[in-house]
Structures are given as C-alpha cells and as structure tokens.
Amino acid sequence: MADDDTKTPLLDQLEEGPWPSFVTEIKRAGTKSPVCGDLLGQLEQSYAEKKGHWKHGGIVGVLGYGGGVIGRYSDLPEKYPNVAHFHTMRVNQPAGWFYTSDAIRTLCDIWEEHGSGLTNMHGSTGDIVFLGTRTDQLEPAFKKLTAAGFDLGGSGSSMRTPSCCVGQARCEWACYDTMALCDDLTRSYQDELHRPPFPYKFKIKCSGCPNDCVASIARADLSIIGTWKGEIQQDAGAIAEYAASGLDIQKDVCDRCPTRCMTYERGTLTIENRECVRCMHCINVMPKALGPGTERGATILIGAKAPIVQGALLSSVLVPFVPAEELAETIKELLKRVWEFWDEYGKNRERIGELIQRVGLANFLDAIGLDPVPEMVSAPRDNPFIFYQTDGDGH
C-alpha cells in the first residue's frame, strides 16, 4: 500500500463473515500498486463521513475514439494523490466471455503496468473493466490493448458493448447462435460504439433461451431472447426415470407452471403447448426429459433499463418470433428504424424505453413501420374486458 499506517476499521468489517470481500482483494493488490492504499483510505473516509469523494469526469477520449474511457477524479487529490485520477477503461470482451490463459495474463500485465491492477470481470454492461489509471497512461494502455487484439468498449451516449451468453457453445437449450450474432453486431456497429451519436446509451444483449442468463429483459434496450415454436420435446423414458427417482412431477413441475398448461396422470405428461409461455421451469427441472421445440429462433424485445433518470423498466415484446437464420438481417433493419426515430425525437439522456413511454407505443410502432401484435399486450389473461370463449373441448 502507499501508506503502511493506513487504518480502515470500517472497511475491515467487510472482511468478516464467510463471503469473499473486495476489501481483501484490494489489500492484496496493494502489495504491488500504491494506488490501492489511497483508494482504501478515501473509501474509509467516505464511509466515516457518509459522503462520496469521486467527481465524474465525463468521457476521457483516446486518439480516434469518442467513447470507451470513463473519467473519474478525486476531490481530495492532495490527501490521496495516487487516486487524483482514477479513470476506468472498458475493454470489449470476447463473445460468451471465453478466454485463453495467455489472453488473461496479457490483460493483467497491461493493467499492472499502466493502471492500478484492479479489474472487474465483468461489468454489468459485459465489458472487461480496468479500474483506475491516470490520464497520461490511457494512450499507452490503449496502444498495447490494440496490439494484443483487444478493443475498447462503449461508454457515454453510444451503443454499449453487446454481450451474450455462451449459447450453443455450451448450452443445449440455446435456440440460436448467440456468440455469432453478438460478434456480428459488435463488428457492424463500430462507429456507433466508439463515436457517441445517440441521445443516451443503447445496450444490446443476446440470450440463447428464455432463462436469459445475461438478464437482457431487465437491462437491455434491445433484448434478443431465444425461443421456439411448436411443442416442447419430450422423452417418455426419461420422464419415467425422473418419476422413479422420487420427483413429484405433478407437484414440482405441473403445479408450478404459471399457466397450468401441464398435467401428469398415470405416467403420462400432457402439455397444452398453445398455453405455454416459455418460462423454462419444466425444462430446468427435467432437463433430460424435456427440451425446446425444434423450430427455433428468438423474440426481440425493447426498452429495458435500470432506475437512473426514471424508474426501472423491463423490456416489452417488439417482434414475437424471428427464425434463427433471419435474426441478423432482421435486427439490423429494425435498429435502423428505431435509431432514426430515437435520434429525431429522443431527449438528452432519454433511453428508448422512456421515449416509447412518452410518445406511446402506438405512435412508436407507426413510426418504425411495425404492426401491433397480441404479444405486445403485457398481461392478456388479466384484462377483465377481454373474454375468451371456448368450444366444448375447452379450446
């Protein structure tokens, strides 16, 4: 650490208990980096005073890029000189977060030489996050990153770094190739990533199935969530094995189906697939017996965000189903229309979901040339003014 006498009694409490602590990791990094002692000292003072001491420095550019580095400055530079500048670099992660050991060592070596050595693998956007460096070290760090094959991620009012789950690389439930699509979109929109053109940030996240392992439905302005048409695939023999092993299929699977579209009687599992909402519960509980249907693709949703300017939003269905082989072309055409409307009518720091709320979904759909579909209704079964008539067979 910069100062061996630094006392952090409040932070030390965060090292107690059974869970890993960021305080322990920063102290460990402090054996190599003097930045860490000042970082802990300033944080301890913030805890004691219940007041933050970071000033947001906007976007600090590197040559040729308008985004990618988050400026951060201390308002106590005389007391903590090693964190007077504490800029954060976002580095575009590989699709699915697959690394070789050599790649990780290369990243760590670059950051130990030009920054604090502290990393966040990964930030909520998905990027590799390099925490803490000085302005004069940004260009050298960027130069070595590009020489090693890495690029900066998005920051500011730009398209943020697209991210995805591992998809078909490791997951049998993936309904499209998330990694291929994420890579394609990243390469296609370099200008939008590095030269901020929008009213505010725009995030794209690709999930291979409705389990949504990158939480796109809660965080992405454009969510691409894998799904399927047709019937859930069943393996009768595997279903029998689950029952024989002690699983109460009626209680633990059917009764927990949100639409009650499943029954298990006399050893037979019956699924009313037209009522299935693709929650994945039954497939998660019996993965050897059930699987997504064979006609696979994705649902495209729009408008999620965290509660920064306004409240949190979950994304809403925009296109119910796109076949896997048509996804890239469809998304690029859709983005063109959405961005044109957002650029024209979006306010400063207004996310696309907030714009849709302000102008109304009907006007938004009309502007981008999409027809409304029933799937855009968030809770059709809860609408007391819509009544569903059935025939004698309950259909």
Side-chain angles (χ1 to χ4, degrees), residues 60-62 65 67-69 89-93 127 130 138 141-142 145-146 150-155 161 186 190 193-194:
V60 184
V62 295
Y65 284 66
V69 179
M89 297 186 79
R90 284 182 173 147
V91 182
N92 198 325
Q93 81 283 355
D127 300 279
F130 283 176
L138 293 176
F142 177 51
L145 283 168
T146 54
F150 288 91
D151 194 8
L152 294 187
S155 291
T161 313
T186 302
Q190 287 295 293
L193 264 164
H194 296 303

Side-chain angles (χ1 to χ4, degrees), residues 88-150:
T88 293
M89 297 186 79
R90 284 182 173 147
V91 182
N92 198 325
Q93 81 283 355
W97 302 293
F98 282 97
Y99 299 90
T100 63
S101 297
D102 285 342
I104 293 177
R105 289 191 182 96
T106 298
L107 290 167
C108 291
D109 288 345
I110 292 171
W111 199 234
E112 284 185 356
E113 180 181 359
H114 296 288
S116 68
L118 299 175
T119 63
N120 178 355
M121 305 287 278
H122 299 81
S124 60
T125 297
D127 300 279
I128 306 159
V129 177
F130 283 176
L131 292 163
T133 192
R134 300 183 64 83
T135 302
D136 59 7
Q137 293 299 311
L138 293 176
E139 287 291 350
F142 177 51
K143 184 176 180 180
K144 289 191 176 179
L145 283 168
T146 54
F150 288 91

